Amino acid sequence: MAAPIQFPFADEIVLPPEMEGWEEMYAPQRLFSKDREAWEKRHFWYHDKIHAADPLYPLDDIFQEAWQIALSQYNTRVFCIPPAQGVAQRILGCYMYISAVESPPGDVIQKKAELFGKRVPYTFENYARQWEEWLVKFHKLGHDMEAIHIPKELYEFVPEEDVIPTPKGFTEANVLMENFNDIVNLIIRAWQYHFQYLNLAYLAYLMFVDTCRKLFPGIKEGTIGKMVAGADVSMFRPEEELCRLSRLAMSHRSVAEVLKKKGTAEEKMNTLKTTPEGRAWIEEMDKIKNPWFYVSNGSGWFHYEGSWINTMDLPFSYMQSYVERLEKGETIERKLESISEERERIVAEYKALIRSEDDRKTFEDAHRVVRSIYRYAEDHLFWVEHWLHTIWFERIDQFGKILTKHGVLGEPEEIYLFNRFEVPMLLEDLATAWALGEGVPTRGPFWQAKAEKRKKILEAAAKWNPTPAIGVPPEQIAEPFTLMLWGVTTDLVQEWLKGAGMEVGDLDEITGFPSSAGVAEGPARVLKMLADVAKLEPGEIMVAPTTNPSWAPVFTKIKAAVTDIGGLTSHAAIVSREYGLPSVTGTGVATQVIKTGDIIRVDGSTGKVTIVKRV
C-alpha cells in the first residue's frame, strides 16, 4: 500500500458513534471551527502526547488552556524571541492537537529582535538571583491555594455569630462561588509563572547546540546532551529522599524487615509505630512529605493519577525494592558524580579541539549559560506540575464533595467532567437552591445525567486510536521548540506517514530522536496506562507515549527508554541522560508497533529502534 502524502483534515476525520456529543465538553475556542478553517488548514497539527496522551477530562483541560497562553506570550510579547510565535491548541475527539504558529512578517521579527537583544542577555546573566525570587513567589502562590476555604457543607441556618451583633453580610454559599473563581485564577497565574524562564531555558540549549554544531561539525546529539547532564534539581529530590529513607531503614534492621514485607503502606506504618526505631523512621518521613511526597504518580496533568501523598502504597513499593537491592549490595542512587565527571571529560575534550580564543570564549559562555538556566526545566517542573497540582486536585476534590453532599453531583469525581466555565453553574445551582429554602431542588438529575454521558464518551475515546497528525506536513519543520521539546522533525513526520500506510506488523524498525547515547537490547514493556509502571521488571526497556520525571525510581532498573513523542529537551530525554540510559524519543508509533515482550534494540546515538524478535 502506498504511503499517504498528508494526514486527514479535522473535518475529514470520522469518530466512533459512541463519541457523539464530545464537543460540548469543551469551550468553543478549544475546537477546530469553520470560521477559522483557512488559518487552521495552513498549519500542521500533531497529537501532543507529552501533555495530553490520554483523552482530556474537561476540568483537567484547564492546564492545557493555561500553557497555550503562557508559552506563547513569552515567545511573542515578553522575551520576543524573533522567529518564534506561539503554539496553538485544538481538541478533536477528546485528544489535544498542537501546531507551531507560522512565523510573523519580517518587520515584526525586526521589532522583536531589538527587544530580544535587551531582555534575554540580562536574564541569562542574572538567572541565579531571579530563580530565588521565583521560588519565593511560587511558594506563596501555593500556600495561598492551600489556605482557600472550601465549606464542607452549607449550614441549615447561618450561625448566630454571623448575625449578631452585626450581620456578616455574606454567607458560605457566596464564599463557595468566590473561592472557585479564586482557585481558577491562582492555577492560571501559576502557569504564567511556569513559563517565566522555561522558553529561555530551551533557547539556551538551542544556542549551545548551535554553537557545538558550528565548532564541531558532525558532533552527535547525544554527545551534546552529555555536556549538559548532571543537574542537582528539585524534580529528582523525591526519589533522592526515598533512597535516603531506604538507607536509614537499613541502619535499623527491624525497620528494613517491615518495609520488605507484603502489605499496604498503612499496614506497614501501623507496624512501625509499635517500636521506637519505627516511630523515629516515620517521624523522619513525615518531615519531608510536604513538599517531597507531593509528586504525581504520573505526569501531574490528570486528576485520576494521584500523588504519593494520597497513594502511599507507591512510594512504599519503591522503598521495598530499594531495601531489597541494598541488601544485594547494589547502588540505588542516581550516579550524579560519575555523570558529572563524564560531562567535564567530554567538555574538556572538545574544548581542546578549539583553536581560536574567540571560539573558545563563545563555547565557554554558551556552556556556562546553558548549565545555569537549563536546570530550570526540571527545577520548576516539580513545583508546578507536581507540588502545586497536588494541592489543586485536593482543593478541587473538596468542591466535588460539597456538590455531592447536596445532591448536585452523584460522586465527587464527577466535577472533573465539567469544564472550568461550567463548574460555576453547578455551584450557583447549589447556592440558589440553598438560598431559596428547605425542599427546593437543584438540577442534580440533569447534571448527573450529563456527567454519565460524558463518562461514556471518554471511555469510548480511550478505545479510539487517534491520528498522529492533522493536515499537510510542511516540506521542512524548522520551528525550534517543536524540534527540541516535542522532537517532531521532518523525518519523523515521514515515518508517521509511512506507518499510516502500512500494517503495524510490517514495521521492524522505527526511527526517532537520538536523545541519550548508548545501545541496549532487551524485552520491551509497553506502558499505555499509568498502572502499568508498577509492572516494570529489572532489565526491561520502557516504551511509553512519553516518560515522566516522577517515574525516576524505575530508571535505575530499566535498560533504556523509548517514547512516541519528545525531543532533546523533553523530560524523557533529560531523565535518561541523568541516569545514563540510552533513549530514543519522538518515534510517533512506538507504543503501536512494539508489544510487551518483544525483544528490541535501542540505539540512542542514531535514533534507531529495531524489533529483534516479536512475541
Side-chain angles (χ1 to χ4, degrees), residues 144-158:
D144 287 348
M145 188 179 287
E146 286 179 311
I148 283 179
H149 172 59
I150 304 165
K152 292 185 177 179
E153 63 178 317
L154 298 182
Y155 301 121
E156 181 180 10
F157 301 106
V158 171

PDB file of all heavy atoms in Angstrom, residues 144-158:
ATOM      1  N   ASP A 144      -1.129  30.178  49.284  1.00  0.00           N
ATOM      2  CA  ASP A 144      -2.415  30.866  49.124  1.00  0.00           C
ATOM      3  C   ASP A 144      -3.491  29.877  48.672  1.00  0.00           C
ATOM      4  O   ASP A 144      -4.641  29.947  49.104  1.00  0.00           O
ATOM      5  CB  ASP A 144      -2.304  31.998  48.101  1.00  0.00           C
ATOM      6  CG  ASP A 144      -1.534  33.201  48.628  1.00  0.00           C
ATOM      7  OD1 ASP A 144      -1.286  33.267  49.858  1.00  0.00           O
ATOM      8  OD2 ASP A 144      -1.152  34.067  47.816  1.00  0.00           O
ATOM      9  N   MET A 145      -3.110  28.954  47.778  1.00  0.00           N
ATOM     10  CA  MET A 145      -4.072  27.955  47.311  1.00  0.00           C
ATOM     11  C   MET A 145      -4.453  27.007  48.449  1.00  0.00           C
ATOM     12  O   MET A 145      -5.623  26.649  48.616  1.00  0.00           O
ATOM     13  CB  MET A 145      -3.505  27.175  46.129  1.00  0.00           C
ATOM     14  CG  MET A 145      -4.523  26.248  45.471  1.00  0.00           C
ATOM     15  SD  MET A 145      -3.863  25.332  44.046  1.00  0.00           S
ATOM     16  CE  MET A 145      -3.761  26.644  42.839  1.00  0.00           C
ATOM     17  N   GLU A 146      -3.462  26.603  49.245  1.00  0.00           N
ATOM     18  CA  GLU A 146      -3.745  25.728  50.384  1.00  0.00           C
ATOM     19  C   GLU A 146      -4.696  26.396  51.374  1.00  0.00           C
ATOM     20  O   GLU A 146      -5.497  25.728  52.030  1.00  0.00           O
ATOM     21  CB  GLU A 146      -2.447  25.368  51.113  1.00  0.00           C
ATOM     22  CG  GLU A 146      -1.579  24.357  50.384  1.00  0.00           C
ATOM     23  CD  GLU A 146      -0.304  24.045  51.135  1.00  0.00           C
ATOM     24  OE1 GLU A 146       0.399  24.990  51.561  1.00  0.00           O
ATOM     25  OE2 GLU A 146      -0.001  22.847  51.313  1.00  0.00           O
ATOM     26  N   ALA A 147      -4.606  27.725  51.502  1.00  0.00           N
ATOM     27  CA  ALA A 147      -5.382  28.466  52.501  1.00  0.00           C
ATOM     28  C   ALA A 147      -6.810  28.753  52.064  1.00  0.00           C
ATOM     29  O   ALA A 147      -7.619  29.227  52.871  1.00  0.00           O
ATOM     30  CB  ALA A 147      -4.675  29.786  52.826  1.00  0.00           C
ATOM     31  N   ILE A 148      -7.146  28.486  50.812  1.00  0.00           N
ATOM     32  CA  ILE A 148      -8.508  28.771  50.339  1.00  0.00           C
ATOM     33  C   ILE A 148      -9.523  27.954  51.131  1.00  0.00           C
ATOM     34  O   ILE A 148      -9.375  26.739  51.296  1.00  0.00           O
ATOM     35  CB  ILE A 148      -8.623  28.483  48.829  1.00  0.00           C
ATOM     36  CG1 ILE A 148      -7.982  29.626  48.032  1.00  0.00           C
ATOM     37  CG2 ILE A 148     -10.077  28.306  48.403  1.00  0.00           C
ATOM     38  CD1 ILE A 148      -8.020  29.439  46.542  1.00  0.00           C
ATOM     39  N   HIS A 149     -10.541  28.633  51.633  1.00  0.00           N
ATOM     40  CA  HIS A 149     -11.562  27.975  52.459  1.00  0.00           C
ATOM     41  C   HIS A 149     -12.653  27.392  51.567  1.00  0.00           C
ATOM     42  O   HIS A 149     -13.261  28.099  50.760  1.00  0.00           O
ATOM     43  CB  HIS A 149     -12.168  28.989  53.435  1.00  0.00           C
ATOM     44  CG  HIS A 149     -13.348  28.451  54.193  1.00  0.00           C
ATOM     45  ND1 HIS A 149     -13.270  27.331  54.992  1.00  0.00           N
ATOM     46  CD2 HIS A 149     -14.644  28.878  54.243  1.00  0.00           C
ATOM     47  CE1 HIS A 149     -14.466  27.084  55.534  1.00  0.00           C
ATOM     48  NE2 HIS A 149     -15.305  28.018  55.086  1.00  0.00           N
ATOM     49  N   ILE A 150     -12.900  26.103  51.721  1.00  0.00           N
ATOM     50  CA  ILE A 150     -13.956  25.430  50.970  1.00  0.00           C
ATOM     51  C   ILE A 150     -14.888  24.776  51.989  1.00  0.00           C
ATOM     52  O   ILE A 150     -14.496  23.823  52.675  1.00  0.00           O
ATOM     53  CB  ILE A 150     -13.388  24.376  50.010  1.00  0.00           C
ATOM     54  CG1 ILE A 150     -12.367  25.026  49.066  1.00  0.00           C
ATOM     55  CG2 ILE A 150     -14.516  23.718  49.206  1.00  0.00           C
ATOM     56  CD1 ILE A 150     -11.497  24.043  48.338  1.00  0.00           C
ATOM     57  N   PRO A 151     -16.100  25.290  52.167  1.00  0.00           N
ATOM     58  CA  PRO A 151     -17.017  24.720  53.170  1.00  0.00           C
ATOM     59  C   PRO A 151     -17.271  23.240  52.919  1.00  0.00           C
ATOM     60  O   PRO A 151     -17.329  22.790  51.769  1.00  0.00           O
ATOM     61  CB  PRO A 151     -18.303  25.532  52.966  1.00  0.00           C
ATOM     62  CG  PRO A 151     -17.894  26.762  52.228  1.00  0.00           C
ATOM     63  CD  PRO A 151     -16.708  26.384  51.397  1.00  0.00           C
ATOM     64  N   LYS A 152     -17.393  22.467  53.989  1.00  0.00           N
ATOM     65  CA  LYS A 152     -17.708  21.047  53.848  1.00  0.00           C
ATOM     66  C   LYS A 152     -19.190  20.831  53.569  1.00  0.00           C
ATOM     67  O   LYS A 152     -19.587  19.829  52.985  1.00  0.00           O
ATOM     68  CB  LYS A 152     -17.277  20.284  55.104  1.00  0.00           C
ATOM     69  CG  LYS A 152     -15.767  20.228  55.275  1.00  0.00           C
ATOM     70  CD  LYS A 152     -15.375  19.368  56.457  1.00  0.00           C
ATOM     71  CE  LYS A 152     -13.850  19.278  56.567  1.00  0.00           C
ATOM     72  NZ  LYS A 152     -13.418  18.462  57.730  1.00  0.00           N
ATOM     73  N   GLU A 153     -20.014  21.774  54.033  1.00  0.00           N
ATOM     74  CA  GLU A 153     -21.445  21.750  53.746  1.00  0.00           C
ATOM     75  C   GLU A 153     -22.011  23.138  54.005  1.00  0.00           C
ATOM     76  O   GLU A 153     -21.361  23.978  54.649  1.00  0.00           O
ATOM     77  CB  GLU A 153     -22.162  20.716  54.603  1.00  0.00           C
ATOM     78  CG  GLU A 153     -22.100  20.989  56.088  1.00  0.00           C
ATOM     79  CD  GLU A 153     -22.863  19.952  56.895  1.00  0.00           C
ATOM     80  OE1 GLU A 153     -23.978  19.577  56.485  1.00  0.00           O
ATOM     81  OE2 GLU A 153     -22.348  19.526  57.926  1.00  0.00           O
ATOM     82  N   LEU A 154     -23.191  23.384  53.495  1.00  0.00           N
ATOM     83  CA  LEU A 154     -23.862  24.653  53.746  1.00  0.00           C
ATOM     84  C   LEU A 154     -24.786  24.480  54.954  1.00  0.00           C
ATOM     85  O   LEU A 154     -25.549  23.512  55.027  1.00  0.00           O
ATOM     86  CB  LEU A 154     -24.647  25.103  52.520  1.00  0.00           C
ATOM     87  CG  LEU A 154     -23.812  25.372  51.268  1.00  0.00           C
ATOM     88  CD1 LEU A 154     -24.696  25.862  50.127  1.00  0.00           C
ATOM     89  CD2 LEU A 154     -22.700  26.379  51.538  1.00  0.00           C
ATOM     90  N   TYR A 155     -24.680  25.420  55.900  1.00  0.00           N
ATOM     91  CA  TYR A 155     -25.460  25.317  57.132  1.00  0.00           C
ATOM     92  C   TYR A 155     -26.965  25.287  56.849  1.00  0.00           C
ATOM     93  O   TYR A 155     -27.446  25.906  55.891  1.00  0.00           O
ATOM     94  CB  TYR A 155     -25.190  26.531  58.037  1.00  0.00           C
ATOM     95  CG  TYR A 155     -23.752  26.715  58.452  1.00  0.00           C
ATOM     96  CD1 TYR A 155     -23.070  27.882  58.132  1.00  0.00           C
ATOM     97  CD2 TYR A 155     -23.100  25.734  59.189  1.00  0.00           C
ATOM     98  CE1 TYR A 155     -21.754  28.072  58.515  1.00  0.00           C
ATOM     99  CE2 TYR A 155     -21.785  25.911  59.588  1.00  0.00           C
ATOM    100  CZ  TYR A 155     -21.107  27.078  59.244  1.00  0.00           C
ATOM    101  OH  TYR A 155     -19.810  27.266  59.636  1.00  0.00           O
ATOM    102  N   GLU A 156     -27.701  24.603  57.765  1.00  0.00           N
ATOM    103  CA  GLU A 156     -29.160  24.706  57.705  1.00  0.00           C
ATOM    104  C   GLU A 156     -29.578  26.155  57.972  1.00  0.00           C
ATOM    105  O   GLU A 156     -30.408  26.722  57.272  1.00  0.00           O
ATOM    106  CB  GLU A 156     -29.813  23.771  58.724  1.00  0.00           C
ATOM    107  CG  GLU A 156     -31.328  23.824  58.675  1.00  0.00           C
ATOM    108  CD  GLU A 156     -31.991  22.903  59.694  1.00  0.00           C
ATOM    109  OE1 GLU A 156     -31.282  22.367  60.575  1.00  0.00           O
ATOM    110  OE2 GLU A 156     -33.212  22.731  59.606  1.00  0.00           O
ATOM    111  N   PHE A 157     -28.954  26.730  59.017  1.00  0.00           N
ATOM    112  CA  PHE A 157     -29.145  28.148  59.312  1.00  0.00           C
ATOM    113  C   PHE A 157     -27.788  28.751  59.628  1.00  0.00           C
ATOM    114  O   PHE A 157     -26.935  28.104  60.241  1.00  0.00           O
ATOM    115  CB  PHE A 157     -30.091  28.345  60.510  1.00  0.00           C
ATOM    116  CG  PHE A 157     -31.451  27.754  60.291  1.00  0.00           C
ATOM    117  CD1 PHE A 157     -31.818  26.580  60.935  1.00  0.00           C
ATOM    118  CD2 PHE A 157     -32.348  28.348  59.424  1.00  0.00           C
ATOM    119  CE1 PHE A 157     -33.064  26.021  60.721  1.00  0.00           C
ATOM    120  CE2 PHE A 157     -33.598  27.786  59.200  1.00  0.00           C
ATOM    121  CZ  PHE A 157     -33.964  26.617  59.856  1.00  0.00           C
ATOM    122  N   VAL A 158     -27.568  29.984  59.192  1.00  0.00           N
ATOM    123  CA  VAL A 158     -26.302  30.668  59.422  1.00  0.00           C
ATOM    124  C   VAL A 158     -26.063  30.777  60.930  1.00  0.00           C
ATOM    125  O   VAL A 158     -26.999  31.089  61.693  1.00  0.00           O
ATOM    126  CB  VAL A 158     -26.332  32.070  58.769  1.00  0.00           C
ATOM    127  CG1 VAL A 158     -25.115  32.886  59.171  1.00  0.00           C
ATOM    128  CG2 VAL A 158     -26.393  31.933  57.257  1.00  0.00           C
TER     129      VAL A 158
END
